[in-house]
């Protein structure tokens, strides 16, 4: 640290140099992210609550109320009448809290968790951290977990089954209704990772798409991850964990004897009230109507992109269920590198040897048209060496 500080003007000028090196969502080059430019009202709310710490919530009662209201709104969206939960650092922490509750409830000596092969990598971290053995169930031709495979993975050591409503790689939605039946039948905890899909699927139904149940309407579902910092258009960090009811909280609580609250339920101690405030503000400002409109637009663009890609001769890995398009060229890895050279950040997904584009709210049709133009130029330029 320098001995004598810079003036406000000087330091901010220095800071802007770093800022200039970051990509901007609004430039439309970020095609690989599940985060997006937060809504303007979220940024305002975030800065207003920048000093609030929900880790000592007795000091920040307004923030605590905002968190409770946000959780109630999410619970209503996910049909959870008595649901309780927290705004946490992200999907990783939310999934961690769910498996912590499940493991502590089951209290077996060699705990195992049944995961779809498509489960997010956060579960790898969680299993490592918690000493859980991951047992992987296979996928069907649409990349959804096969219920009979899940069933055959369950043993007396299984503490939880996980299903995903909107996989990170393809946006696939597992048959949660079937998993719920299995979980009830075998007396196993079912957690749904709807980090991405949880703020999409409820609105898809409203705008005329047919979607299967994935939420607390299904008896077997004990907890759901749903992240406002993904399709909730709020500021980072804002993950969400919801439990079916408050009995689950007993299994994740930690005594905090000298704080204004006697216990904490989250993994992170000091945690931003700004996350709850920003999320509350977006929800109140946009309402269901605003979410429906945003999702309608993202889905239209998803359709536009996927049909243009097919017309260019690329193969879709699967028909998009959510606003994620995954496609293959004959050398997808090389193609993604060529795209990067032209300033496009699309993910290369090794598991499916494909390129993934997440059609987030910051993307406009003109961005996708520019992307398609570059893509077809790359494909044409390389047609002679049959790389694409
Ligand atoms: N579960 C699912 C289904 C997810 O998609 C993700 C993240 C998580 C859990 C973990 O959430 P956190 O990252 O909030 O802890 N999915 C994105 C992904 O892996 C995260 C992401 C976001 C990646 C923005 C890149 C990026 O630019 O693709």
């Amino acid at each position: 640290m320098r001995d004598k500080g810079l003036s406000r003007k000087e330091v901010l000028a220095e800071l802007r140099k770093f800022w200039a090196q970051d990509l901007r969502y609004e430039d439309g080059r970020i095609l690989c992210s599940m985060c997006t430019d937060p809504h303007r009202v979220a940024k305002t709310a975030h800065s207003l609550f920048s000093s609030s710490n929900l880790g000592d919530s007795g000091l920040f009662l307004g923030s605590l109320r905002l968190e409770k209201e946000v959780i109630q709104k999410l619970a209503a969206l996910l049909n959870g009448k008595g649901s309780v939960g927290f705004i946490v650092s992200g999907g990783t922490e939310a999934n961690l809290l769910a498996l912590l509750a499940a493991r502590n409830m089951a209290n077996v000596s060699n705990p195992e968790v049944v995961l779809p092969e498509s489960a997010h990598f956060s579960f790898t971290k969680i299993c490592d951290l918690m000493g859980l053995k991951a047992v992987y169930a296979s996928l069907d031709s649409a990349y959804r977990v096969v219920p009979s495979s899940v069933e055959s993975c369950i043993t007396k050591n299984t503490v939880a089954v996980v299903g995903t409503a909107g996989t990170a790689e393809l946006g696939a939605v597992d048959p949660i209704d079937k998993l719920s039946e299995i979980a009830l039948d075998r007396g196993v905890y079912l957690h749904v990772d709807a980090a991405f899909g949880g703020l999409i699927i409820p609105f898809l139904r409203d705008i005329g798409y047919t979607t299967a149940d994935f939420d607390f309407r299904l008896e077997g579902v004990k907890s759901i991850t749903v992240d406002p910092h993904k399709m909730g258009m709020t500021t980072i960090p804002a993950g969400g964990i919801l439990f079916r009811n408050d009995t689950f909280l007993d299994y994740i609580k930690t005594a905090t004897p000298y704080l204004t609250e006697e216990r904490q339920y989250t993994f992170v101690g000091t945690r931003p009230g700004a996350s709850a405030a920003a999320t509350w503000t977006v929800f109140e400002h946009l309402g269901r109507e605003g979410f429906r409109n945003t999702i309608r637009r993202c889905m239209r663009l998803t359709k536009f992109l996927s049909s243009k890609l097919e017309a260019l001769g690329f193969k879709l890995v699967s028909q998009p269920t959510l606003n994620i398009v995954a496609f293959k060229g004959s050398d997808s890895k090389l193609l993604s590198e060529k795209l990067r050279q032209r300033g496009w950040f699309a993910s290369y997904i090794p598991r499916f040897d494909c390129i993934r584009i997440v059609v987030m709210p910051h993307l406009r049709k003109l961005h996708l048209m520019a992307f398609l133009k570059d893509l077809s130029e790359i494909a044409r330029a390389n047609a002679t060496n049959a790389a694409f």
Side-chain angles (χ1 to χ4, degrees):
M1 197 186 285
R2 61 177 74 239
D3 189 49
K4 189 168 167 15
L6 297 176
S7 71
R8 187 171 177 275
K9 201 171 157 206
E10 282 166 337
V11 76
L12 290 180
E14 284 304 307
L15 188 69
R16 284 221 166 74
K17 290 184 195 159
F18 291 93
W19 188 71
Q21 292 167 32
D22 285 357
L23 291 184
R24 308 265 164 264
Y25 291 106
E26 67 264 27
D27 291 340
R29 294 275 167 171
I30 303 178
L31 309 174
C32 57
S33 176
M34 286 191 166
C35 294
T36 192
D37 201 22
H39 195 289
R40 269 171 54 202
V41 292
K43 294 182 190 177
T44 307
H46 197 104
S47 66
L48 188 63
F49 280 77
S50 62
S51 344
S52 160
N53 170 19
L54 281 172
D56 202 1
S57 56
L59 303 178
F60 304 99
L61 293 177
S63 305
L64 184 61
R65 253 170 232 140
L66 286 171
E67 183 183 36
K68 286 199 183 338
E69 286 201 17
V70 166
I71 294 297
Q72 272 168 20
K73 289 177 200 299
L74 287 170
L77 210 57
L78 301 174
N79 296 296
K81 269 219 169 79
S83 297
V84 293
F86 305 94
I87 296 298
V88 292
S89 57
T92 304
E93 188 183 355
N95 287 336
L96 172 84
L97 293 174
L99 292 197
L100 185 65
R103 189 202 62 181
N104 290 351
M105 278 173 78
N107 195 24
V108 297
S109 43
N110 296 302
E112 298 177 5
V113 55
V114 179
L115 298 166
E117 272 172 13
S118 54
H120 186 258
F121 59 77
S122 51
F123 289 103
T124 313
K125 298 181 188 176
I126 295 162
C127 288
D128 186 21
L129 199 65
M130 285 173 39
L132 288 170
K133 180 179 167 199
V135 182
Y136 287 97
S138 58
L139 308 182
D140 66 15
S141 58
Y143 306 99
R144 295 170 304 212
V145 77
V146 177
S148 59
S149 174
V150 169
E151 187 143 34
S152 63
C153 289
I154 296 175
T155 70
K156 61 178 183 3
N157 292 325
T158 305
V159 300
V161 165
V162 172
T164 315
T167 59
E169 289 166 330
L170 302 177
V173 180
D174 287 328
I176 309 295
D177 51 348
K178 300 281 184 327
L179 300 188
S180 170
E181 282 170 23
I182 294 169
L184 290 174
D185 190 45
R186 304 291 294 268
V188 176
Y189 184 110
L190 173 60
H191 172 64
V192 177
D193 180 0
F196 184 63
L199 277 162
I200 306 171
I201 302 168
F203 303 108
L204 281 181
R205 197 167 296 178
D206 290 352
I207 58 173
Y209 286 76
T210 36
T211 56
D213 283 345
F214 74 104
D215 62 21
F216 291 118
R217 225 189 300 234
L218 303 168
E219 273 303 302
V221 175
K222 299 298 185 266
S223 53
I224 303 178
T225 289
V226 49
D227 287 354
H229 70 196
K230 296 189 168 73
M231 282 300 287
M233 293 167 279
T234 189
T235 48
I236 298 168
I241 180 66
L242 268 74
F243 292 96
R244 175 170 281 278
N245 57 50
D246 61 7
T247 59
F248 297 92
L249 299 187
D250 278 345
Y251 299 92
I252 57 167
K253 70 179 178 210
T254 301
T256 53
Y258 53 86
L259 303 186
T260 54
E261 291 279 6
E262 286 168 11
R263 56 193 71 84
Q264 284 182 357
Y265 300 93
T266 53
F267 185 65
V268 169
T270 301
R271 64 190 178 100
S275 303
T279 306
W280 184 92
T281 310
V282 176
F283 285 6
E284 284 293 279
H285 182 61
L286 290 183
R288 282 183 180 245
E289 186 191 28
F291 271 88
R292 277 197 299 274
N293 291 341
T294 302
I295 284 152
R296 189 183 288 114
R297 205 177 61 74
C298 290
M299 290 308 287
R300 277 194 190 136
L301 284 181
T302 301
K303 214 171 217 162
F304 167 76
L305 178 64
S306 49
S307 61
K308 291 284 180 200
L309 285 167
E310 282 188 305
L312 284 173
F314 292 100
K315 194 174 170 308
L316 299 184
V317 176
S318 58
Q319 283 302 322
T321 320
L322 305 179
N323 44 333
I324 295 182
V325 180
F327 67 98
K328 281 162 106 65
S330 46
D331 189 340
S332 300
K333 191 163 196 297
L334 184 59
L335 182 55
S336 74
E337 282 159 13
K338 298 257 175 204
L339 286 165
R340 183 73 59 94
Q341 284 163 15
R342 291 195 182 210
W344 296 105
F345 287 76
S347 331
Y348 171 70
I349 310 263
R351 193 203 307 264
F352 302 113
D353 185 31
C354 70
I355 293 177
R356 173 193 75 161
I357 292 179
V358 191
V359 186
M360 293 300 288
H362 59 269
L363 293 177
R364 312 263 158 231
K365 194 168 184 178
L366 64 97
H367 299 137
L368 296 181
M369 282 163 65
F371 168 75
L372 287 161
K373 184 167 169 286
D374 273 356
L375 182 69
S376 56
E377 276 177 22
I378 295 169
R380 229 179 300 129
N382 288 275
T384 43
N385 65 19
F388 304 100

